[in-house]
Amino acid sequence: MDRLTVTEKIIAAKVSSGIKWSEVAAKVGLSKEWVTAACLGQMTLSEKQAGVLAEIFSLSEEEAKWLTVTPYKGSLPTAVPTDPLIYRFYELVNVYGSTFKALIHEEFGDGIMSAIDFKMDLQRENDPNGDRVRILMSGKFLPYKQY
Amino acid sequence: MDRLTVTEKIIAAKVSSGIKWSEVAAKVGLSKEWVTAACLGQMTLSEKQAGVLAEIFSLSEEEAKWLTVTPYKGSLPTAVPTDPLIYRFYELVNVYGSTFKALIHEEFGDGIMSAIDFKMDLQRENDPNGDRVRILMSGKFLPYKQY
Amino acid sequence: MDRLTVTEKIIAAKVSSGIKWSEVAAKVGLSKEWVTAACLGQMTLSEKQAGVLAEIFSLSEEEAKWLTVTPYKGSLPTAVPTDPLIYRFYELVNVYGSTFKALIHEEFGDGIMSAIDFKMDLQRENDPNGDRVRILMSGKFLPYKQY
Amino acid sequence: MDRLTVTEKIIAAKVSSGIKWSEVAAKVGLSKEWVTAACLGQMTLSEKQAGVLAEIFSLSEEEAKWLTVTPYKGSLPTAVPTDPLIYRFYELVNVYGSTFKALIHEEFGDGIMSAIDFKMDLQRENDPNGDRVRILMSGKFLPYKQY
Amino acid sequence: MDRLTVTEKIIAAKVSSGIKWSEVAAKVGLSKEWVTAACLGQMTLSEKQAGVLAEIFSLSEEEAKWLTVTPYKGSLPTAVPTDPLIYRFYELVNVYGSTFKALIHEEFGDGIMSAIDFKMDLQRENDPNGDRVRILMSGKFLPYKQY
Amino acid sequence: MDRLTVTEKIIAAKVSSGIKWSEVAAKVGLSKEWVTAACLGQMTLSEKQAGVLAEIFSLSEEEAKWLTVTPYKGSLPTAVPTDPLIYRFYELVNVYGSTFKALIHEEFGDGIMSAIDFKMDLQRENDPNGDRVRILMSGKFLPYKQY
Amino acid sequence: MDRLTVTEKIIAAKVSSGIKWSEVAAKVGLSKEWVTAACLGQMTLSEKQAGVLAEIFSLSEEEAKWLTVTPYKGSLPTAVPTDPLIYRFYELVNVYGSTFKALIHEEFGDGIMSAIDFKMDLQRENDPNGDRVRILMSGKFLPYKQY
Amino acid sequence: MDRLTVTEKIIAAKVSSGIKWSEVAAKVGLSKEWVTAACLGQMTLSEKQAGVLAEIFSLSEEEAKWLTVTPYKGSLPTAVPTDPLIYRFYELVNVYGSTFKALIHEEFGDGIMSAIDFKMDLQRENDPNGDRVRILMSGKFLPYKQY
Amino acid sequence: MDRLTVTEKIIAAKVSSGIKWSEVAAKVGLSKEWVTAACLGQMTLSEKQAGVLAEIFSLSEEEAKWLTVTPYKGSLPTAVPTDPLIYRFYELVNVYGSTFKALIHEEFGDGIMSAIDFKMDLQRENDPNGDRVRILMSGKFLPYKQY
Amino acid sequence: MDRLTVTEKIIAAKVSSGIKWSEVAAKVGLSKEWVTAACLGQMTLSEKQAGVLAEIFSLSEEEAKWLTVTPYKGSLPTAVPTDPLIYRFYELVNVYGSTFKALIHEEFGDGIMSAIDFKMDLQRENDPNGDRVRILMSGKFLPYKQY
C-alpha cells in the first residue's frame, strides 16, 4: 500500500458517493482548494483531518495513516499535460511566463513568488457574456539573498 | 528581420532607457500585463499601439510593422522552464493541476477555462510577514458541446 | 476502478458483440464522432446517456457512473503517435501547422479555432480514383482580448 | 543559401508589402491553402509558379530556383507546438486520435487517410453566436495490402 | 483482453511449439513478412485467416476475434530502438535518410514512397564472404497533389 | 570550415547547376546511392573522388580535403524525422521492426544485418496502378560470437 | 546585446587576465559563491557592484547595466548535465533525492528547503587520504501552509 | 521479488510502526543519512546490518538477503524531479552548477568532487527568522590523471 | 511468460542461492562476461547451455526454452542510465566518444568497431594505490564499403 | 572566444596540415588517447603543453590560454549518439551495462570504476579474419563508504 492507492480509493469512493469536493472541505474545515489537493495526493494531513477523510471515504486505519505521510508531489502523468483544461494553465505559463517574470522583478526585484507559502481561491464569476473562472493566487515574495 | 529581432531590440532599449513596463503600458493605454506580454513577443498590436511603442523604443517603421503581425507564441526556451520564478508557476500546474481540474468541473461541468478570452492582474499585497504577489486571473468558461 | 477500466471494458465488449460505433451513436442520439470519443474515454456523458451505453455494453451501475465523470483527456500513448493512421493527422499539423496559423490570422486576426466549441463530421467520399476520407471541422473562432 | 532563407525572405517581404496570402494564391492560380504552405517552405513549385512568387516577393533567380527544390518538410520548432492556435490542432489529434482511427477503420477497414493525396479548404463560417473556422479536409483512403 | 494479450499469447505459444514463422505463413497462404507482422500485432486479419492462426496457436474464439480488429500499430518500446538488430535499420534511416529523399525526389518529384501500399521480401543471400540479408522493398510512389 | 559547410556548398551548387545525383555518381564511377550519401556528408571519399566532386561543384582545395575526412554521421535534425518521405522509412522500422527481428533470427540465428557492410539500390518500378519505388538492400549477416 | 553576451565577455576577460573568482569576490565584498554565480549570469547586481565588475573586466556602461537586470536563470545546456563535475551533483540528487526528502520531512514536516533564501560555502578540506571538497549549504525551511 | 519490493515493504512498515529514520539509524549504528538511503534502496548493507533492518521492519530472510545485493541506484521517477522539495536541489544544480565547477577547478584544478567517497550531514539550524536546513557535504576531490 | 520473467527468476534464484556469476560461467564453459550477459537477458543460449542454467537456477522446461529465443536486447531502463556504476561507462562514451572516433578512423579509415563480433574480459588489477578495474575489449573492425 | 572555437580551429588546422593524432601526442609527450581528448576539448593542458599545441596548430597566445582552462566536458551533440562508430560504444553500455555492474560488484563490492582516475589504450590487433580494435581500459575502483 502507498499514497497513490489511497488517492485512487478516495477518487473511486467520491464517484460512488457523489459527495462534492466543497462538501468534503467543509467537513475538514479548510478551503476547498487545499482539501482537494490533499485528497488528490499532494498535501499532508494532520491525524485529525485524516480521520475526517477516513470517515467520509470509508478508509481503513492504515489508509488514513498514509494521508499523514508527506507524499511525492506532482499530479501530472507527463511533463506537458495532455488534458485540455490543465494544458490551458501550462499554456498560460508558456505564453505569459516571461511577463510574470518581468512584472514581478520590476515590482519586487530579484526573487520568486513562493509556491509553498501560497494560497488560492477559485470561484465562478457571473458574466452576461458567459460565466468566467476567477482564480485569485497569493504567494509570498521571496527575495534572493546576497551573502 | 522577424518578430524575435524586434523583441530583443525592445528588451535592450528598455535596459538602456530604464523605462518601466507599467510606464510603457500607461502610454499604450492598456494593462501592464497585456502590454508587457505584447512587448515580449506574445501579443499582436494595432498600428496605432505599435506606433506608440516605436516612439518609446526608437523602432524603425519596418520594426513597428512586425508588432502588428501575429507572432508564433511561447516564451520559454524549454518545455520545463529552468528559471526559478517561472518554474514556480510550472510547479503550481504540476501540484495543483488535478485540483484545478476537479474544482472547475465540479462547478461548471466538462469544459475549460479559456486562455484566450482571459485577463489577469498582478499586484503587490502588503503583508506584515512579508509582502506577497497577488495574481487575479479571469478566463471565460468554455463548455464542451455535444453534437 | 477508474475511467480507463470502463473504456477497456467497452472496447472489449464492442469486439465481442460486433456492434458498430455508428449504431451506438444512433442509440445515444448524437453524432458518431462525439459518441465514439465519449466511449473511448474523452467526453463526459449525462446519466441518461451513460444508461444507454450501460445497456449496450453490459456495464454495471458503478461503471456507468464513471462515464458521467469528466475524464483526464488525451488518447495517445506517446507525444508523437506511432500508429500510421493517427500519425498522418500529426503530420498534417506538422506540415500545415504554419499554414493554418497564417490563414486563420489573415481572416480573423489574432486568436484561435476552439477545440472545445468544436464539432466534426467524418464521411466516405466516393471517388472513381479511390474513395476518400472527408472530414469537416468547425470550431468557433476565439479572438485574443486586449485588456 | 537554402530554402529556409528563401522562406524567411518571403515572410519578411509579405510583412513589408502587406499583400494577403489569398492574393498571392490568386496570382499563382491555385488554392490559398496549397500556396501558403508552399510559401512557408512545405511544398515544391514549378518553375513558372516560382517565377510568379519571385515577382511578388522580389526574389533573385537563385532564390526562385530554391522554390523548385523539394524541401525538408515540417513547419514546427518543437514536437509539441507551443503556439496556442497550432496547439489546438495538436490537441484535436490527441483527444480525437483514437476516434479518427475507430471511425475510419469502421468505414474503410485497415488503412489510412493519405496526407499526401490530400487537399483542404479553410473558410469563415458566419454564425450569430460568433463566427467559426470551417475546415474541409479530403484525403484518399489507402488500404493496407496483404501480400 | 486486448490485442497485446493475444500477441503475447501467440509469441509464447510459438516458443512452446517451435513452429517457424514461414510455416505459419504457409498455412495462412500469404508471405512470411506480412503474416509475421500480423502475428506480432501490426496487421488486421480476415476471419478466416484468424481461424487458421487460432488453430495453430490454440487461441479462443474471443482471442481470434481480436485478430480481426485493426490494432494500434508500432512495435517498438522506445522512439530510438535499443535492440541492435532493429537499431541497424534505424541507423540506415539516420545515415541514408537524406539520400532516400534526394534520390526519390530526383526520380519521381515531390511525394513519398508509401508505407501502406507496400510489400517486402526478406531472403538469405549466399555469399562466400559470409551470407547476407537481402531485403527487397516495394512501395507505391505517391505524388503531392497541387490544388 | 567543417564538413557541414562543404555539404551545404555542394547542395547549393547542385541547385544552381541543375546536375543530377546520378550524373554526379557516373563521374565518380560508383553507385548513385553511395555517392549521394557521400555528397550529403555521410561517407568518406578518396582524394581522387574528392577531386572529381571539387571539379563538379567548384570546391576549393581545402573544401575538397574535408571530403576525405570521416564525418560525424547522422543526416536527420530530430530523432523522429518530420519530413513525410523520411518518416515513412522510420514508420517501416516502427511497424516492421519486430518482424525484421523475428525473420532474420529465424533464418540466421542471433546477430544483425550489418549497416556497414551494406549496399542498396533504388529504382523506379513501372506499374500500371502507379509506379513504385523499389529498394534492394543487402547487408552482411553478423552473428553474435560466444566466448 | 543581452546578459549572455556580458557573461561570455566576463569569462573571456577572466581567462585573459588570470584573476581568480575569490579575488573578484573580495573586490565586490561578498562571498565567492554568490559573486561567481552573479558573474556567470545567475544573480542580479546592484549598480555599485556592477561598477566594480565593470572595472575588473573592462565592461562598457551598457554592459554593466545588464548586470543589474534580473537574468533568465539556469546555467546548464541540457536537463541532465554531461560535464562530469556537474553531473556528480545531479547524481547526488538522483541517489540521495528521496533521502533528502525523508529526512527533512521527518525533522520539519511538509515543506521545502528554500533555494532562494539560501547560502553556501565551498572549502578545501585537508585530508591525509586526499583533500576533500566541503560544501556547507543553508536554506530556510519553508512549511506548506494550510488554508 | 526484487529490491524495489523490499524498499516498498520497508516504507509501508515504517508508516505502520511510526519509527523514525534517525531511530533506525541508531539501531544500525551509522548515520541517518546513509541508513535512510540504504532503506530507500540506494545502498548495500552487510548481512549483520540487514539483520537489524529485518528485525525492525519484520522482513523475511529472503527479503533481508536482497538488502545485501547492490541495487540499481537512482531514486527519482523522472529525469527532472516534480516533487518541490527534491526539485529545489535540482534547481541548485541548475543555477549553481557552473559556479560549483568554476570554484572547484579554481581551488583544485581539473577533476571532480566524488559522489562515491562522499558523506553528508543534515541538521536543523535554529534561526530567529525561521529555522534552516543545514547540509554539510564532503566528497573527496579526484583529479583527472594525464597519461 | 516471456524472457524478462525468466531473467527476473534467474536473478532472484541467484540471490537465494548465493552462487557467483563466475561459477555459473564455469559450469556453462564460457567466459563470465558472455554468460552473465546471457543470464541477464541479452544473449541467446543453445539448448544444452540452457539446460545447464535450468539446473543451476531450477528453471522449468518452458523457462529454459525461452533462453534459446533471441531476446529484445537493451538492459537499461532509461536512455541515460541513472546507476552510478553504469553511468560512468556512459560518461566515458560522452567524454571520449569523439576520441574513439578520431583514433579508430586514423588507424583504420572509415568504419566501426563491431559490437557484435566482440568480446571482452574484466579483471581486478592489483595496485598499491587502490585496486583497479581492467577491461579489455576487442571488436572486429568493419570498414564501410564503397559500391 | 571560447574553448569550442579553439577546438574547431585545431580540427581545421589538423585537416589542413595532415598531421596525425599520434604525432601530436608524441610532441606533447603523453599518450595519443589523452592528447586527442585534450585537443578535442575534453581535457585541461598545462601551459607548456598548450605551448606545444600552439606551435603545431598555429594558435594565438589567447587561444593557447584557453587550452589551460578546464572545459565543460561532453563531446556528443545528442544524448544518444547518431554516429555509427560512437553508437556502437553506446550500444555496449546498453547491452552490457547490467553485466559490467554485476561483475564489478561481484569482484569488488558496491562502488564504481572511476572515469576520472582512468586511462585507456587503443591498438590495432592483427587477425587473419580481419583486424580488430583492441581497447584496454583501466579505472580505479572506488568503493561506497559507509558513514
Side-chain angles (χ1 to χ4, degrees), chain J residues 5-23:
Chain J
T5 325
V6 184
T7 301
E8 287 171 349
K9 184 162 180 192
I10 287 177
I11 294 173
K14 181 179 174 295
V15 170
S16 287
S17 72
I19 193 173
K20 295 191 132 196
W21 293 118
S22 51
E23 295 164 359

Side-chain angles (χ1 to χ4, degrees), chain A residues 31 44 49 73 110 146-147, chain G residues 44 49 73 110 146-147:
Chain A
S31 70
T44 313
Q49 294 163 340
K73 297 183 172 76
D110 197 356
Q146 297 193 343
Y147 56 94
Chain G
T44 313
Q49 294 163 342
K73 299 183 171 77
D110 197 355
Q146 296 194 343
Y147 57 93

Side-chain angles (χ1 to χ4, degrees), chain D residues 33-63:
Chain D
E33 289 75 17
W34 190 90
V35 172
T36 305
C39 289
L40 295 175
Q42 303 298 316
M43 299 291 162
T44 314
L45 293 105
S46 69
E47 279 188 39
K48 197 177 156 193
Q49 294 164 339
V52 176
L53 289 191
E55 203 169 332
I56 299 173
F57 297 117
S58 308
L59 305 178
S60 71
E61 202 173 331
E62 195 192 350
E63 288 165 342

